[in-house]
Every structure is written in C-alpha cells, then in structure tokens.
Amino acid sequence: GAVVSQHPSRVICKSGTSVKIECRSLDFQATTMFWYRQFPKQSLMLMATSNEGSKATYEQGVEKDKFLINHASLTLSTLTVTSAHPEDSSFYICSANRDRDRYGYTFGSGTRLTVV
Amino acid sequence: AQSVAQPEDQVNVAEGNPLTVKCTYSVSGNPYLFWYVQYPNRGLQFLLKYITGDNLVKGSYGFEAEFNKSQTSFHLKKPSALVSDSALYFCAVRPPSYNTDKLIFGTGTRLQVFP
C-alpha cells in the first residue's frame, strides 16, 4: 500500500510560539508532498507543494514566512507554523503521491492545531 | 477558471436505500477525477478514481462513480447505504494542464445515513 503518517494528531500551543508538524511516507519515497488546510465545515485549501531538496512552492495568499516547509528527505516533509496566532487554528493535512494511477493520492490523518 | 462543484452540502438517505453524491467539474481537457471520504478529525481516505477507460469506476466499500464527459460529471453512488457510510465526501480533480500533482477539491458533501 501507500501510507502517509502525520504527527502530531493534535497540538495546543500558546500564541507566539512555533509548532512543527511532520508528514512521513512510510512505505514509499515521495519527491513531492502537499500541505492543505481545512477550516471547519469547509473544503481543503492547498497551501503549498513541498519539493524534496528544493524550496516549497506556495499558493497565492499563503505566507511563506509564516508557514515554513522543509522537505529534507524523500520520506519526510515538515510544516512549521511560526509565531502562531489563534487565527492559525485549523486542521492541517498532508498528502503524497506514490503512484497516482494505482493508488491515487494518499493523505495523512491530519493535525488539529489550536492556538490559545 | 478550473473548478469542482458539489452542489449539495448535505445528503440524507435511509439505510438500505441507494445514495448519490453529485460532482461536476470545469476543466479543460481530460482530467483525473477522485473521490475521498473523511471521518471526523481524520485525513482523507481514497475511495476511487477515474483516469481513463471504462466510465463506470468501482471503488472501496461498495462505492462506484460514473464519469460522464458530456455532462462533465462524476457522481458517487452506492446501491445500498449503510449507517457507517455517514461521513464527509470530497470530489477532486487533477486538471491535465497541471504540471504538478496538486488537486482541486470540491467543497464537500456531508452524507447522513439514517437507520
């Protein structure tokens, strides 16, 4: 199969602190991973495309200094929410593509971030 | 602009009855189409996809979807709904013009199956 592990599943942090979310492809290598944000009762909004060994590609309107993405290996991408504020509270989901034609896109289980 | 529409916020169906969750798309060319299901506080689970070939696609948990090019639709169906099918369903498309693997998602449809 194609498994993507996302950690932590839930995190609560204080305003002004930074939070790191990890996304790992467990049984395949992923040169590209995707980070989405989901607001309550809304669809997924693509934030950025994480590229192994190079800079991430951010979607329009997403602050790259706010949401730092690092894709240091073929199995790990991290999203760091810097100087978090309550409006950053959301559900963050990563995805990776092992073999689109066979598996489709595989998603992590998501991270619920609450900034207090 | 390329987009995916799920016209129904919520679909209610009685257990044992057939269900349909609608999806239409607006992209140029022949897109890749996907359906995903999301349970509360969880990531998305892949249900099925259409890449090419037979217009009727069968997927996980007894779900199927029919690609209709003339109507630009990809409705999700199941002959007999289960209470456990209650969840949030997303239709997604990868336009052929994209040179990356990013997806465009619909707004989601909440399926409620009543006993």
Side-chain angles (χ1 to χ4, degrees):
Chain A
V3 180
V4 173
S5 173
Q6 190 171 339
H7 180 80
S9 57
R10 290 178 178 269
V11 58
I12 301 173
C13 71
K14 293 184 177 180
S15 288
T17 62
S18 295
V19 173
K20 181 184 287 187
I21 302 170
E22 292 187 348
C23 181
R24 294 181 185 272
S25 55
L26 295 187
D27 53 356
F28 66 102
Q29 294 182 331
T31 55
T32 304
M33 292 186 178
F34 302 90
W35 287 97
Y36 293 85
R37 181 174 179 177
Q38 186 179 27
F39 293 97
K41 299 184 179 181
Q42 293 190 28
S43 187
L44 283 74
M45 180 192 78
L46 178 65
M47 299 174 65
T49 303
S50 173
N51 304 300
E52 188 269 334
S54 65
K55 292 182 179 180
T57 304
Y58 289 83
E59 296 298 302
Q60 192 172 8
V62 177
E63 300 175 61
K64 38 185 86 172
D65 294 332
K66 174 75 165 172
F67 300 100
L68 299 179
I69 291 173
N70 183 280
H71 195 153
S73 77
L74 286 170
T75 60
L76 175 63
S77 175
T78 60
L79 168 67
T80 301
V81 183
T82 63
S83 186
H85 291 283
E87 57 264 31
D88 298 326
S89 298
S90 191
F91 194 59
Y92 294 87
I93 308 176
C94 69
S95 79
N97 174 29
R98 176 180 185 179
D99 179 341
R100 179 186 57 233
D101 291 354
R102 184 175 179 188
Y103 298 106
Y105 299 81
T106 304
F107 286 79
S109 54
T111 297
R112 171 73 60 193
L113 171 64
T114 304
V115 184
V116 298
Chain B
Q2 305 189 95
S3 63
V4 177
Q6 291 181 245
E8 302 153 316
D9 289 338
Q10 180 153 331
V11 170
N12 299 317
V13 64
E15 188 174 31
N17 283 1
L19 69 87
T20 298
V21 183
K22 296 180 180 178
C23 172
T24 59
Y25 63 91
S26 176
V27 302
S28 54
N30 298 315
Y32 290 10
L33 296 158
F34 302 85
W35 275 101
Y36 287 88
V37 59
Q38 185 182 33
Y39 295 95
N41 291 312
R42 300 298 302 275
L44 275 66
Q45 296 179 30
F46 171 73
L47 280 179
L48 51 80
K49 67 184 186 303
Y50 173 82
I51 305 293
T52 187
D54 194 349
N55 289 344
L56 183 63
V57 178
K58 294 189 182 296
S60 306
Y61 312 120
F63 284 94
E64 59 187 30
E66 185 166 11
F67 171 60
N68 187 317
K69 188 172 183 178
S70 62
Q71 296 185 5
T72 62
S73 67
F74 190 56
H75 301 330
L76 181 70
K77 299 183 179 183
K78 187 172 182 179
S80 179
L82 299 173
V83 173
S84 57
D85 292 331
S86 300
L88 187 58
Y89 290 80
F90 288 99
C91 181
V93 61
R94 178 194 180 275
S97 58
Y98 278 14
N99 58 6
T100 70
D101 281 331
K102 60 183 182 180
L103 298 175
I104 300 172
F105 281 89
T107 51
T109 298
R110 186 164 301 281
L111 174 65
Q112 191 71 48
V113 182
F114 295 95

